[in-house]
Amino acid sequence: MPALTSIRTTGDSKIEIVNQLLLPHTTEFLEINTIDEAHDAIKTMKIRGAPAIASLAALAFAADLSRVSTTLASPEDVRSYVTPILAHLYTARPTAVNLGAATRRLTAILDASIAAGKSAKEICNDLISEAHKINDEDLSRNKSMAKWGGDWLADVVKQNGGSGIELNVLTVCNTGSLATSGYGTALGLITYLHETGKLGKAYYTQTAPYHQGSRLTALELQTLQIPSVMICDTMVGSLFQHHNIHAVAVGADRIAKNGDTANKIGTYNAAVLAARHKIPFIVVAPISTVDLSIADGSGIPIEHRPPLEACLVRGAVYPPPADGAGKQAVVMLTPPNLSLEGIYNPSFDVTPAELITAIVTEKGVATRREGETVFDLSGVV
Ligand SMILES: CSC[C@H]1O[C@H](OP(=O)(O)O)[C@H](O)[C@@H]1O
């Protein structure tokens, strides 16, 4: 069965996303026809995943500019039109830097094309072409990262006396094709180990409250026929105590210059427990996730989602109705009179660099020097 996809473009260049709020039991594709629809889909998490939201923003930008380019007579008309659009898209979600990297990259193309004295039409073509590259390049870099990280892990296990096969890897959240433009980041590493005969089992946390793990990673691993085990978020410590886990591999939403990494809430917990059990902790993320303008994790903005989202269990009724159509089951987990002020709901946490064993990008694997608590990422960005 083919891998799932977060975004697809149809023959007549329409953009469609799968509504991830309804997965796994309902697969519904939504057309994204405007910038505002793209912004809303990102903000409400119909689409999520740091690289995937950057890809949708870029594709929506390109489609919008294609529609209006003939009305933009001068380079300054182009600048006046695209600048507020890029600024608006960046406001959709604050923590993942890939979205900001994409808008900055398009702004740089705008500046360079104007400085080169190009016509409005040429500038629009340059921007549209670059926007499509942002989406198109994701798949190949994910496969590069998967190989870098998978080969590194197998070598480390062998250096420590292991066989380098039957590797059991825990992951948090969802970092597969539903979070990217294909193959995934941390889940790409797990897929690579499976494809090369080195994987034992993939373990994954449910990742409440959005349940990226139980709703999305479960679906992806079953689709890819990768042997897997789901655990509740509270079970990571017990898993490490009673099972032979060779590594934890996670994605990232923003990596600071020193290697401190923001990722889905619960990642820090897993990192602390991995350190306690001397299990390698690997972050897998494209260079566009590294934010060298931020010195350390204290500078990473952490998104707090609406408190009500922490009280809901999104999913489907079980067993699925006879007609097979999944229903959106939304269950209030708290007393109806609970004040929303009494709910803490950060969507991400920051794992200090000292708890991270390796950071993998499409350029290679970075590890900390002996005795160092921070990374020098210059070799992998
Ligand atoms: C491919 S990395 C995806 C990254 O994004 C997820 O967050 P969200 O589902 O809220 O977009 C999670 O942090 C993943 O690691």
Side-chain angles (χ1 to χ4, degrees):
M1 187 185 294
L4 298 155
T5 180
S6 58
I7 308 170
R8 67 185 187 190
T9 50
T10 57
D12 50 359
S13 76
K14 283 193 184 305
I15 304 166
E16 292 180 334
I17 63 167
V18 64
N19 183 350
Q20 298 192 32
L21 291 173
L22 302 181
L23 290 175
H25 293 286
T26 302
T27 300
E28 174 190 280
F29 279 89
L30 299 172
E31 271 191 31
I32 300 296
N33 295 308
T34 67
I35 294 294
D36 282 343
E37 286 174 359
H39 185 278
D40 172 74
I42 295 168
K43 188 172 181 64
T44 57
M45 296 180 72
K46 294 185 181 74
I47 185 172
R48 31 63 51 198
I53 63 182
S55 290
L56 176 63
L59 290 173
F61 171 84
D64 178 78
L65 190 55
S66 300
R67 286 191 288 268
V68 303
S69 60
T70 54
T71 68
L72 303 174
S74 71
E76 283 318 308
D77 288 346
V78 177
R79 181 186 294 281
S80 301
Y81 183 79
V82 306
T83 300
I85 286 175
L86 293 174
H88 178 54
L89 284 168
Y90 185 39
T91 64
R93 289 187 76 193
T95 301
V97 72
N98 311 57
L99 183 52
T103 57
R104 282 193 296 277
R105 179 169 159 182
L106 290 167
T107 301
I109 291 294
L110 173 72
D111 293 341
S113 296
I114 290 177
K118 293 186 176 183
S119 67
K121 179 175 174 52
E122 289 168 328
I123 295 166
C124 288
N125 289 342
D126 289 351
L127 286 167
I128 291 164
S129 169
E130 192 71 16
H132 282 288
K133 280 182 196 167
I134 289 170
N135 176 61
D136 297 345
E137 69 195 13
D138 194 33
L139 177 59
S140 61
R141 75 182 171 203
N142 290 341
K143 293 198 170 180
S144 299
M145 292 192 288
K147 180 169 179 14
W148 279 117
D151 290 349
W152 177 86
L153 175 59
D155 287 348
V156 163
V157 170
K158 281 188 277 191
Q159 286 162 21
N160 292 327
S163 65
I165 59 172
E166 288 297 308
L167 300 175
N168 298 321
V169 181
L170 172 73
T171 193
V172 174
C173 195
N174 172 255
T175 59
S177 295
L178 290 172
T180 66
S181 297
Y183 204 73
T185 58
L187 210 56
L189 183 154
I190 288 171
T191 304
Y192 171 79
L193 290 175
H194 174 68
E195 290 171 343
T196 54
K198 300 190 185 83
L199 184 72
K201 285 181 183 166
Y203 292 76
Y204 59 99
T205 63
Q206 291 182 339
T207 319
Y210 185 97
H211 277 266
Q212 287 92 340
S214 57
R215 295 193 298 114
L216 309 178
T217 298
L219 182 61
E220 291 207 45
L221 290 170
Q222 286 166 30
T223 302
L224 294 166
Q225 297 183 309
I226 292 176
S228 61
V229 178
M230 181 173 78
I231 67 170
C232 295
D233 301 345
T234 49
M235 299 173 184
V236 173
S238 172
L239 178 73
F240 290 169
Q241 283 179 319
H242 301 291
H243 290 265
N244 181 21
I245 304 299
H246 297 91
V248 179
V250 298
D253 291 82
R254 194 181 302 229
I255 301 171
K257 186 174 184 181
N258 74 341
D260 291 351
T261 295
N263 196 52
K264 185 50 51 194
I265 191 76
T267 302
Y268 173 51
N269 304 14
V272 170
L273 287 162
R276 170 79 174 80
H277 290 269
K278 297 182 173 41
I279 296 172
F281 191 90
I282 308 167
V283 172
V284 185
I287 291 169
S288 57
T289 309
V290 179
D291 186 349
L292 296 176
S293 72
I294 290 185
D296 60 54
S298 64
I300 300 176
I302 297 299
E303 176 189 20
H304 283 249
R305 298 283 310 171
L308 194 60
E309 289 183 3
C311 308
L312 307 179
V313 177
R314 294 183 182 284
V317 294
Y318 187 84
D323 65 8
K327 295 286 186 293
Q328 184 63 21
V330 174
V331 174
M332 180 66 79
L333 286 183
T334 56
N337 61 351
L338 175 75
S339 154
L340 289 183
E341 284 66 46
I343 295 168
Y344 177 63
N345 187 24
S347 194
F348 301 95
D349 55 29
V350 176
T351 297
E354 65 183 305
L355 294 178
I356 299 171
T357 313
I359 295 178
V360 183
T361 73
E362 58 269 43
K363 281 186 74 174
V365 182
T367 54
R368 282 179 286 109
R369 292 194 187 95
E370 192 65 34
E372 287 288 330
T373 58
V374 294
F375 282 82
D376 171 2
L377 294 174
S378 57
V380 294
V381 293

